[in-house]
């Protein structure tokens, strides 16, 4: 398809959000109707469709959804192949720890806030702002991993799945909201959308 039929910028953001959340929502729906193995299969198929759609729409591969998608394919595939739901339950822990290690490692080893090359087009922050935001997200990814570990090891599969929708997702939204003062303080330029 040609570039002239791609959605406008505002609609692209809406579609990008739908493409990132859609596979997870379909996983919840399929799991509630048919169980975790069918839900996992739907999750794999939806992720496999969503990532190329995102690439077409944005003109680039989304780094974090790509990493998450890789693990959905690997751990989801193992879940179905071995008929063992432990693999899909471990996936959020491994992905969140990986993101935390990459962001923290970027700061400690490379002395670079690795959120900047990922989100630099969306946020125009000072170097100090990028460092602080990267530290916060690195730590928060470990919090998400701990939440996942607590729920899948302590409760039923149904409760673990519900925790994704009613604990992890809201916690991420609240955490992101609380980053607005930092974004406002460290924004460069006169076009500060948080002012």
């Amino acid at each position: 398809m040609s570039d002239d039929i791609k959605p406008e910028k505002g609609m692209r953001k809406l579609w990008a959000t739908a493409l990132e959340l859609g596979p997870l929502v379909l996983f919840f729906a399929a799991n509630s109707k048919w169980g975790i193995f069918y839900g996992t299969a739907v999750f794999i198929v939806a992720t496999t469709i969503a990532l190329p759609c995102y690439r077409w729409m944005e003109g680039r591969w989304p780094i974090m959804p790509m990493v998450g998608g890789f693990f959905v394919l690997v751990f989801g595939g193992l879940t179905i192949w071995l008929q063992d739901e432990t693999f899909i339950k471990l996936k959020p822990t491994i992905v969140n720890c990986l993101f935390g290690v990459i962001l923290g490692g970027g700061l400690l080893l490379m002395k670079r806030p690795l959120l900047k090359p990922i989100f630099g087009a969306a946020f125009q922050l000072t170097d100090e702002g990028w460092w602080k935001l990267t530290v916060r997200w690195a730590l928060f990814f470990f919090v998400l991993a701990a939440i996942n570990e607590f729920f899948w090891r302590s409760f039923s599969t149904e409760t673990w799945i519900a925790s994704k929708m009613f604990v992890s997702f809201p916690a991420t939204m609240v955490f992101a909201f609380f980053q607005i003062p930092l974004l406002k303080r460290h924004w460069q330029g006169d076009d500060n959308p948080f002012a």
Side-chain angles (χ1 to χ4, degrees):
M1 293 186 181
S2 65
D3 288 343
D4 58 322
I5 61 170
K6 288 183 181 178
E8 294 298 321
K9 188 173 183 179
M11 284 301 294
R12 283 203 323 254
K13 286 187 179 183
L14 183 63
W15 279 108
T17 302
L19 289 170
E20 288 178 28
L21 294 178
L24 194 57
V25 171
L26 291 172
F27 169 68
F28 293 142
N31 175 74
S32 68
K33 189 162 180 69
W34 300 299
I36 193 159
F37 297 113
Y38 284 104
T40 300
V42 167
F43 196 17
I44 291 171
V45 171
T47 300
T48 304
I49 293 169
L51 289 172
C53 290
Y54 193 105
R55 166 68 175 90
W56 168 77
M57 190 174 54
E58 291 294 315
R60 63 182 177 84
W61 290 103
I63 295 172
M64 294 175 84
M66 283 293 294
V67 173
F70 170 78
F71 282 99
V72 166
L73 296 177
V74 172
F75 283 83
L78 288 170
T79 297
I80 293 168
W81 182 38
L82 300 174
Q83 291 292 289
D84 185 349
E85 60 192 49
T86 303
F87 292 102
I88 199 67
K89 290 178 177 179
L90 278 172
K91 196 259 328 166
T93 299
I94 292 169
V95 169
N96 284 314
C97 284
L98 179 66
F99 286 150
V101 166
I102 289 170
L103 293 179
L107 293 174
L108 294 172
L109 301 176
M110 299 166 48
K111 308 296 184 204
R112 286 185 58 202
L114 295 179
L115 279 184
K116 185 175 182 179
I118 298 171
F119 295 111
F123 301 116
Q124 301 167 19
L125 302 179
T126 63
D127 287 341
E128 181 184 0
W130 281 117
W131 271 79
K132 288 180 178 179
L133 190 65
T134 302
V135 167
R136 290 180 182 187
W137 276 104
L139 294 174
F140 185 68
F141 280 123
F142 290 117
V143 170
L144 288 176
I147 290 171
N148 186 68
E149 282 296 295
F150 172 73
F151 275 97
W152 90 261
R153 292 180 185 274
S154 304
F155 299 99
S156 68
T157 297
E158 290 71 27
T159 303
W160 169 74
I161 290 171
S163 77
K164 303 284 119 211
M165 184 68 78
F166 299 112
V167 179
S168 298
F169 181 70
T172 302
M173 294 297 102
V174 169
F175 178 80
F177 176 77
F178 279 113
Q179 304 319 300
I180 291 175
L182 182 147
L183 297 174
K184 183 177 180 179
R185 256 191 332 272
H186 293 282
W187 195 269
Q188 293 189 108
D190 300 326
D191 59 342
N192 189 335
F194 305 103

